[in-house]
Amino acid sequence: MAGQLVKVAPEGIDVYFDNVGGEQLEAAIGAARDFARFA
């Protein structure tokens, strides 16, 4: 999951919404840019 996220967002992500958690959340945290917003 994390490798695929880096491919589609090589500069990182700014906003992320999740209501499940798990592997997706961990990948998003790893790809988050400085001052990213998570909900």
Side-chain angles (χ1 to χ4, degrees):
M1 177 72 63
Q4 293 172 346
L5 188 54
V6 170
K7 286 180 184 178
V8 297
E11 295 181 14
I13 58 172
D14 291 313
V15 177
Y16 181 77
F17 174 81
D18 183 17
N19 60 356
V20 177
E23 184 180 354
Q24 297 89 344
L25 177 59
E26 294 297 324
I29 291 170
R33 296 179 69 177
D34 290 342
F35 307 107
R37 295 173 302 274
F38 280 56

